[in-house]
Amino acid sequence: MKIHFDRKTIGYLFLVSILVVGNIFIVLKINKKNQTIVATCAKNWQKCTEKNEYLINYFIEREKKCIESENFHISELIELKGLDDNVYPLSEKLNKSPILVFRFTGSQCQTCINTEIERMTEFLRDLSPEKVVILVSDKNLQDLSYLKKVKKINFEIYLVKKEEIIIPLEQYNIPYSFILTPDGFINSVFIPELNEKKFSEQYYTLIKSILL
């Protein structure tokens, strides 16, 4: 039996065919896009998870380094060489303690050091200059004089032999700060972060109440 379609019916069937094919194409495209979105989300989630794990591990390690350096004793016989080329025993500084000590060496990140000195100058401007001591190794007096002038540092800066500062943090080759008590013990250890100014602000706000 031969079926005959008039032009109107043929046009209708053609239109329906186009709509069906178009819908199939749209569905396939949406499905492909959804698969791409799912894959991208999964990839981003994995990256986010890895980053979070890294940050968590990083800060755990950071805090461990601080904790393991708490309550170490520094000899009052350590000699500090001032910018005037005179040598002073640490015992003179203990008489003014508690004091904040910022510690760094010439082999460490200079940008990190400069940034933290700027933060100290900003957040500790209410403190007496003698309440903050910067202990430096592997530099010369000329370098330190230049640093003090350029950064407009009011705090005391001294050269100290690296081997005389015997605490665990020394092995990590990073700048750090701590409170030095009248009996020569270290507490309130802090490792500054270059890109985290708020950590420094919180730390200095906390220790100012001790030093004022």
Side-chain angles (χ1 to χ4, degrees), residues 97-121:
S97 57
I99 56 175
L100 174 68
V101 177
F102 180 53
R103 167 75 176 137
F104 69 88
T105 71
S107 61
Q108 294 165 1
C109 166
Q110 192 60 51
T111 301
C112 303
I113 293 165
N114 290 343
T115 299
E116 198 57 30
I117 287 176
E118 290 170 2
R119 293 171 183 171
M120 290 170 61
T121 302

Side-chain angles (χ1 to χ4, degrees), residues 113-171:
I113 293 165
N114 290 343
T115 299
E116 198 57 30
I117 287 176
E118 290 170 2
R119 293 171 183 171
M120 290 170 61
T121 302
E122 177 184 355
F123 297 128
L124 299 177
R125 56 180 173 268
D126 298 333
L127 284 180
S128 169
E130 66 182 15
K131 279 295 187 177
V132 180
V133 173
I134 300 176
L135 298 184
V136 189
S137 299
D138 303 328
K139 287 275 192 182
N140 57 54
L141 292 180
Q142 185 177 0
D143 291 336
L144 297 185
S145 296
Y146 179 77
L147 178 67
K148 185 177 178 70
K149 181 179 180 181
V150 171
K151 294 300 178 183
K152 300 178 181 179
I153 302 171
N154 293 325
F155 310 125
E156 300 177 353
I157 305 179
Y158 297 97
L159 279 175
V160 62
K161 293 179 181 178
K162 194 175 190 306
E163 60 271 18
E164 292 191 331
I165 308 294
I166 307 174
I167 63 173
L169 265 175
E170 288 290 307
Q171 67 182 302

Side-chain angles (χ1 to χ4, degrees), residues 54-80:
Y54 167 78
L55 288 174
I56 290 171
N57 291 333
Y58 175 80
F59 282 105
I60 287 175
E61 288 301 314
R62 179 178 179 274
E63 292 308 306
K64 282 170 61 179
K65 289 173 185 176
C66 291
I67 293 172
E68 70 181 6
S69 297
E70 295 275 352
N71 298 319
F72 268 76
H73 186 265
I74 292 183
S75 172
E76 62 180 24
L77 301 178
I78 290 177
E79 294 184 338
L80 311 178

Side-chain angles (χ1 to χ4, degrees), residues 181-193:
T181 65
D183 50 3
F185 282 93
I186 291 172
N187 61 46
S188 303
V189 179
F190 172 67
I191 301 173
E193 301 291 335

